[in-house]
Amino acid sequence: MSRSRTLLAATFALLLIPAGARHATAQHLPDLVTTDVLRVCGDPGNMPFSQRKEDGFENKIAAIVADELKVKVRYYWLTQGPGFVRNTLGTGLCDLIIGSASGAELVQNTNPYYRSAYTLVSRKGDLTGVTRLDDPQLKGKSIGVIAGTPPVSRMGELGLVSAMKAYAPYQLDPGRKNQTVAAEIIADLAEKKLDAAVLWGPAAGWLAKQSGVEMDVVPLLQEPDRPALIFRISMGVRHEENDWKRSLNTILRKRRADIEQVLRDYHVPLLQEEENKLLQPEKN
């Protein structure tokens, strides 16, 4: 899904943590979810997803869920990375992770509520018409990517390693200029230290808009299935809590239009459920 602090880098880090054995009767236990407040497991500095000011798109989506439940949101803040699930959902300190790649084994996933892709980001007009990583225009270009994320493998297959600038994940230095590694890459692209970047679309779209430099953000929709560069995103709950998952699925269906609008407001590239095509806004 490294401390890239983009949603995907965090997700892949979570998948590395052993889930631990569960007793055979665990599936019969009642849900332990707190009902008088929505307790959300969140990262305090991971824009555009979430931050302590609650102005990320996952914060907005959490507010929609809380509105439907008629309760307030309470956050348990922890920087995403190894141990995030174990130290949040696993300890019972919170009941919901807003963004989790569908299929993640450490959590039980709700139905997916959006589908998105990795993107190629460049300064506007510099790489006109480039929609694939095997495009000859990328040869010899300096391309920023977060170490350990799926595009690294694809770029290696295409012989782009020499052009790749892999940014180290989990940079925990509090004195660094940018909040996340993805933000650092976009800042370097804006300052012409890079020719392009390959980043998870939900981070790239918003960061590019915030950069102060016009940029093209092109979803990579024509790449092979392996390594996957397109993912469905769900909410994550504890494995035993099936009633809670069903309640969330009902809310996701009921508030689908509101959630989609939040994602569009944050420039998340949204894909159709089954086809690798951009999802067009519904006409009123």
Side-chain angles (χ1 to χ4, degrees), residues 122-283:
S122 60
R123 292 179 298 275
K124 193 167 186 64
D126 282 4
L127 294 172
T128 302
V130 178
T131 60
R132 300 170 58 101
L133 291 177
D134 60 3
D135 192 294
Q137 292 187 63
L138 293 178
K139 292 292 185 182
K141 300 295 185 183
S142 177
I143 305 171
V145 65
I146 297 170
T149 56
V152 173
S153 296
R154 175 61 176 154
M155 293 168 71
E157 293 172 357
L158 295 171
L160 295 173
V161 174
S162 61
M164 185 192 310
K165 182 178 180 183
Y167 285 67
Y170 293 105
Q171 296 183 9
L172 300 176
D173 179 7
R176 70 168 182 263
K177 181 178 179 181
N178 300 289
Q179 187 184 65
T180 67
V181 179
E184 180 182 346
I185 293 174
I186 291 294
D188 284 352
L189 180 59
E191 294 171 9
K192 299 187 177 182
K193 297 178 182 178
L194 298 169
D195 298 311
V198 180
L199 294 171
W200 176 229
W206 184 85
L207 290 170
K209 289 289 184 182
Q210 298 294 311
S211 70
V213 174
E214 285 193 281
M215 294 188 181
D216 293 318
V217 181
V218 180
L220 295 168
L221 305 182
Q222 303 177 53
E223 303 299 317
D225 292 339
R226 295 288 182 270
L229 299 184
I230 295 174
F231 296 90
R232 290 178 173 86
I233 303 302
S234 308
M235 295 182 180
V237 302
R238 284 178 285 271
H239 282 281
E240 300 87 358
E241 293 172 342
N242 298 319
D243 290 343
W244 178 220
K245 180 185 75 171
R246 284 189 286 268
S247 296
L248 290 167
N249 283 338
T250 298
I251 293 170
L252 291 174
R253 285 193 300 271
K254 183 176 179 181
R255 302 297 293 268
R256 180 181 64 85
D258 296 328
I259 291 171
E260 181 179 321
Q261 187 58 55
V262 168
L263 295 169
R264 291 191 183 280
D265 289 345
Y266 281 76
H267 310 288
V268 174
L270 298 177
L271 305 187
Q272 295 179 19
E273 177 57 30
E274 298 299 335
E275 293 191 75
N276 291 349
K277 296 179 180 179
L278 290 174
L279 179 67
Q280 300 303 317
E282 292 186 3
K283 295 181 179 180

